[in-house]
Amino acid sequence: QVQLVESGGGSVQAGGSLRLSCAASGNTYSRYCMGWFRQAPGKEREWVASIDRDGGTNYAVSVLGRFTISRDNAKNTLYLQMNSLKPEDTAMYYCAADPGFSRLWLGRADYWGQGTQVTVSS
């Protein structure tokens, strides 16, 4: 069992930056692939980025070059550094954990956090 708690959301102007964190409970965190997802009002949940156990990463085209996913296995924490934010990045952001890297890309995960809101104004 893995419990995930996101933090770091907030309101910023376009062009600004935020860093999201996702703290994981349990001593099996390093065994999981991790991902970030987002959901804007009235839209479906969207995969943002994933990181595997060894630090390999994958990004959605919409955030490539602006967002960086990383993990600290010693701290059981996942991060999402978001730079050059745009109004279209406004959404609730969720972290997720799953044994399978490809499953995250498909929007599937065994464990989900409750989300943290990011609002970008123009």
Side-chain angles (χ1 to χ4, degrees), residues 44-96:
E44 293 187 353
R45 185 175 61 203
E46 173 189 21
W47 168 76
V48 174
S50 302
I51 186 166
D52 66 18
R53 299 171 193 81
D54 299 320
T57 59
N58 199 8
Y59 296 92
V61 172
S62 59
V63 305
L64 191 62
R66 299 188 299 122
F67 290 11
T68 302
I69 188 172
S70 61
R71 66 190 297 165
D72 186 333
N73 288 343
K75 296 182 178 179
N76 280 13
T77 303
L78 175 73
Y79 303 100
L80 185 68
Q81 178 66 45
M82 305 186 295
N83 299 328
S84 301
L85 283 162
K86 304 175 181 180
E88 51 263 44
D89 295 318
T90 295
M92 185 72 78
Y93 282 71
Y94 300 89
C95 67

Side-chain angles (χ1 to χ4, degrees), residues 28-48:
T28 59
Y29 169 76
S30 62
R31 301 179 188 177
Y32 286 88
C33 300
M34 302 295 296
W36 287 100
F37 295 79
R38 64 187 182 186
Q39 187 168 19
K43 294 187 176 182
E44 293 187 353
R45 185 175 61 203
E46 173 189 21
W47 168 76
V48 174

